[in-house]
Amino acid sequence: EVQLLESGGGLVQPGESLRLSCAASGFTFSSYVMTWVRQAPGKGLEWLSAIGGGGSSSYYSDSVKGRFTISRDNSNNTLYLQMSSLRAEDTAVYYCAKGGGNWVSYFDSWGQGTLVTVSS
Amino acid sequence: EIVLTQSPGTLSLSPGERATLSCRASQSVSSNYLAWYQQKPGQAPRLLIFGASSRATGIADRFSGSGSGTDFTLTVSRLEPEDFAVYYCQQYGSSPRTFGQGTKVEIK
């Protein structure tokens, strides 16, 4: 059974940094594209970033490009999202999601999410 | 960027009724790479449909997807109590991946 467990969320002040983790199990982690999606309180879903199975290719939405960095540790089956220069509008639940074996794929498994609150 | 517009924003129906949800894209979705997700309060989204019309593993056959190009539909043939939720469409054929704003299906 695929399991994704996010951690690392919390309350931070504007301008600070935070690193989210997503521990994966139940599948061959290194074979799949992984993605971060967020959801602001009471709002819809927003795709943020994706990383290829080998970790060498990654993509970002314009809203986080230059501030967020996606990475993965295939030896420990863990996905990361390093967030810097955080803003109030980054307040959201952050989900990691499993993609397919190539870039063109839907998200077939999701974690339960971790809440990030950016406030002074 | 492909903008997905879902309608209606809210659908008020009774259990047993048919639900028809629309997702319209601002430009053609490549190879019908269109997915539908269901989200209940406090839960993560769950994949229902991919490739516009293929049901994900374990999804009841009362859920069906159709459409191509720029117009897509999710149909729930007979609403069960557990189907009242928010539904999102998403395209995964172009970058950046984008979601619709969601349709809430509520109990009438």
Side-chain angles (χ1 to χ4, degrees), chain B residues 23-47:
Chain B
C23 176
R24 178 162 291 178
S26 60
Q27 54 189 281
S28 184
V29 175
S30 172
S31 300
N32 293 337
Y33 289 138
L34 193 286
W36 289 92
Y37 301 86
Q38 177 194 65
Q39 187 179 34
K40 298 178 181 179
Q43 296 185 18
R46 177 175 70 142
L47 175 69

Side-chain angles (χ1 to χ4, degrees), chain A residues 30-32 51-57 72 74:
Chain A
S30 60
S31 296
Y32 292 89
I51 186 168
S56 59
S57 299
R72 63 193 299 161
N74 287 342

Side-chain angles (χ1 to χ4, degrees), chain B residues 40-79:
Chain B
K40 298 178 181 179
Q43 296 185 18
R46 177 175 70 142
L47 175 69
L48 298 176
I49 301 287
F50 62 92
S53 60
S54 297
R55 268 189 303 276
T57 302
I59 300 304
D61 60 7
R62 64 181 180 273
F63 291 93
S64 63
S66 63
S68 64
T70 61
D71 288 295
F72 299 89
T73 300
L74 174 69
T75 301
V76 188
S77 59
R78 291 175 309 281
L79 284 165

